[in-house]
Amino acid sequence: MANESLRYYVSCSRLPLAVYREVAAHLRQVEGVDVDLICQKSQRFDYNQSQVEGLWIHHADDSDAVSRERVNQILTHYNLLTT
C-alpha cells in the first residue's frame, strides 16, 4: 500500500518569529519533509502577536512512519502538536 501525501497547518499566535524559524529548520532536517512559513496577514499591528501566522508542513508521498513520528516529536517539543 502506497503512502498518501500529507500536508497540514500548525499555528501558535504568540510564538516569536525566531522560534518559528527554529522549528522550521528542525523539521526540514527530517527526510521527506518540507516546511513553509506563512506570513502574518493581519493589517493591525499587535506587539503580542507573532510575525508569522503559522507553518505548512508537507510530507512527501514516500515519507515513512519514522519521518512522521520525528515530526510529531519536534512539534511536541515546541508544544505545537494538538491531540
Side-chain angles (χ1 to χ4, degrees):
M1 184 170 147
N3 288 336
E4 294 180 18
S5 180
L6 178 63
R7 183 174 185 228
Y8 53 97
Y9 178 79
V10 177
S11 178
C12 179
S13 64
R14 295 184 182 259
L15 198 64
L17 173 61
V19 177
Y20 266 117
R21 286 183 173 169
E22 183 177 325
V23 172
H26 284 148
L27 291 172
R28 287 181 181 129
Q29 292 178 20
V30 178
E31 189 171 334
V33 174
D34 189 27
V35 181
D36 291 312
L37 290 168
I38 308 302
C39 294
Q40 183 59 256
K41 295 176 184 150
S42 176
Q43 297 296 320
R44 197 181 106 239
F45 178 78
D46 181 348
Y47 184 78
N48 294 315
Q49 203 171 34
S50 177
Q51 293 172 291
V52 174
E53 186 176 308
L55 296 173
W56 274 112
I57 302 169
H58 183 276
H59 291 270
D61 291 337
D62 61 351
S63 68
D64 59 14
V66 174
S67 294
R68 292 176 191 219
E69 178 58 29
R70 185 67 185 135
V71 168
N72 287 341
Q73 290 171 347
I74 293 167
L75 294 176
T76 299
H77 176 78
Y78 287 99
N79 247 359
L80 293 172
L81 188 64
T82 58
T83 55

